[in-house]
Amino acid sequence: MRLIANQCNKMNTKTQSNKAIALLNIDEIFNSSTQYKVPMYQRGFAWDKNQLAELIFDIKNSKINKKYFLGTLTVYRLSEKDDVYEVIDGQQRLTALFLIKCALQDNPNATSIEYECRDKASQTLKLFAKTKLEDCLDKKQNNTDFLDEDLLDRLQEIHDIFQSKDFIGDDVGKAFIDFKSKMKTLRLVRVEVPQGTDLNLYFERMNTRAEQLEQADIVKALLMKSIDNSHQCSLFASIWTACSNMSGFVQMGFPPELRKKLFKGSWMTLNN
């Protein structure tokens, strides 16, 4: 991240003023008029506790009152009139920042991030942004099929990091005051790709060259090219998510009611 920060510090003012490139602080990223849509061809939020801790401590160890650059957010503007963007690259960091703000109870705009064809993920993020932290964590203990269990786990992990001795040190109050101040110094460079760009192809090439994704994600992007129906898209999302979990039976990846509709009693065949 320090390398990214050094590169971003070298950006000249001419580049920053370019309409397609915006230098944004944390409040501008999650303001009330901007929405970021994560397309189905991308994976869901996949960071674990170690990656979240690395980001949190990078922020904690940054200097107060000095801009701290977190890299780029590559997007495609979906509407000329509205600030609605499809996220091409950077959604993991974007979602992590959203969760961190929720854990700090500095709640972002509830509609800032929407996961296409992943209603549970979108609804869970909205809940986090509208609900007190303790109520969100309580829902983890009494989880329903309507919430994304992985996102609930990640919010709990962020809370645990904030409660750890490594984060708090000798002064709880100062630790959180300083961290919130440093959050305000964060900067992301939002880069818009040109209108008319083939987003599936752009995503495939960018991530193949950067070796950021597993091969399965590239296959997923290619398969998504042929789906243009919202119902089929939602069904594809459910099946893909269930099949991607190798720790148990595929059938267990579906909520009980949907499982009953999809599979026969033996779970060996699909219902017509």
Side-chain angles (χ1 to χ4, degrees):
M1 288 199 177
R2 291 184 179 83
L3 177 60
I4 293 174
N6 291 334
Q7 291 174 334
C8 290
N9 273 317
K10 294 178 182 179
M11 291 176 61
N12 57 44
T13 56
K14 181 178 179 180
T15 300
Q16 292 180 18
S17 63
N18 189 316
K19 184 179 179 181
I21 301 177
L23 186 60
L24 305 175
N25 62 40
I26 196 76
D27 291 327
E28 290 171 327
I29 294 167
F30 297 118
N31 67 40
S32 59
S33 64
T34 305
Q35 184 179 52
Y36 297 97
K37 293 180 178 289
V38 180
M40 178 54 214
Y41 58 77
Q42 291 197 32
R43 67 171 73 177
F45 186 63
W47 276 17
D48 58 23
K49 186 175 182 178
N50 290 334
Q51 290 166 303
L52 290 167
E54 181 179 359
L55 174 59
I56 289 170
F57 282 100
D58 275 346
I59 297 170
K60 177 178 171 61
N61 295 328
S62 64
K63 295 181 179 179
I64 293 180
N65 298 324
K66 184 176 181 180
K67 294 177 182 177
Y68 188 72
F69 294 91
L70 286 178
T72 59
L73 177 65
T74 307
V75 299
Y76 179 85
R77 183 184 284 270
L78 294 174
S79 171
E80 288 295 329
K81 296 180 180 179
D82 304 313
D83 290 329
V84 181
Y85 302 90
E86 180 169 314
V87 179
I88 301 172
D89 187 54
Q91 65 102 342
Q92 300 290 329
R93 190 181 300 111
L94 184 69
T95 304
L97 290 172
F98 186 98
L99 294 174
I100 288 171
K101 282 179 68 67
C102 291
L104 291 171
Q105 300 191 71
D106 180 21
N107 290 5
N109 176 37
T111 59
S112 294
I113 303 177
E114 179 179 296
Y115 277 78
E116 184 183 46
C117 297
R118 294 187 182 99
D119 290 339
K120 286 174 66 173
S122 296
Q123 293 304 317
T124 303
L125 292 178
K126 288 179 182 178
L127 174 76
F128 290 170
K130 294 179 177 180
T131 310
K132 291 182 179 179
L133 177 63
E134 56 267 29
D135 292 336
C136 291
L137 298 181
D138 182 62
K139 288 183 183 297
K140 181 182 184 303
Q141 305 302 322
N142 303 284
N143 191 14
T144 73
D145 290 330
F146 301 105
L147 298 178
D148 188 297
E149 191 171 342
D150 288 336
L151 288 174
L152 285 166
D153 288 342
R154 300 297 83 76
L155 186 68
Q156 178 68 62
E157 289 168 354
I158 292 171
H159 175 68
D160 293 343
I161 293 168
F162 283 149
Q163 299 303 311
S164 68
K165 181 65 175 177
D166 287 340
F167 181 87
I168 293 172
D170 298 323
D171 190 330
V172 177
K174 186 177 185 302
F176 281 98
I177 290 172
D178 286 352
F179 189 83
K180 288 181 178 180
S181 295
K182 292 175 181 180
M183 285 285 288
K184 294 183 182 298
T185 70
L186 298 181
R187 298 293 185 272
L188 271 178
V189 181
R190 187 179 66 202
V191 180
E192 293 183 39
V193 300
Q195 291 294 309
T197 300
D198 184 329
L199 300 183
N200 293 85
L201 184 60
Y202 186 96
F203 176 80
E204 177 190 347
R205 287 179 175 174
M206 178 180 64
N207 287 289
T208 300
R209 290 170 182 171
E211 297 183 344
Q212 294 174 344
L213 298 182
E214 299 175 1
Q215 290 300 313
D217 293 290
I218 305 301
V219 173
K220 182 180 180 181
L222 293 173
L223 291 174
M224 284 298 299
K225 286 183 178 181
S226 61
I227 300 177
D228 55 9
N229 178 280
S230 59
H231 176 71
Q232 291 179 340
C233 178
S234 181
L235 183 59
F236 180 90
S238 298
I239 295 172
W240 185 274
T241 301
C243 292
S244 64
N245 184 359
M246 305 301 291
S247 61
F249 293 107
V250 169
Q251 290 86 344
M252 297 303 296
F254 298 96
E257 288 303 316
L258 181 57
R259 192 187 310 149
K260 291 177 183 178
K261 293 179 181 179
L262 287 176
F263 301 98
K264 295 183 178 180
S266 64
W267 283 12
M268 297 302 293
T269 56
L270 289 169
N271 287 322
N272 293 328

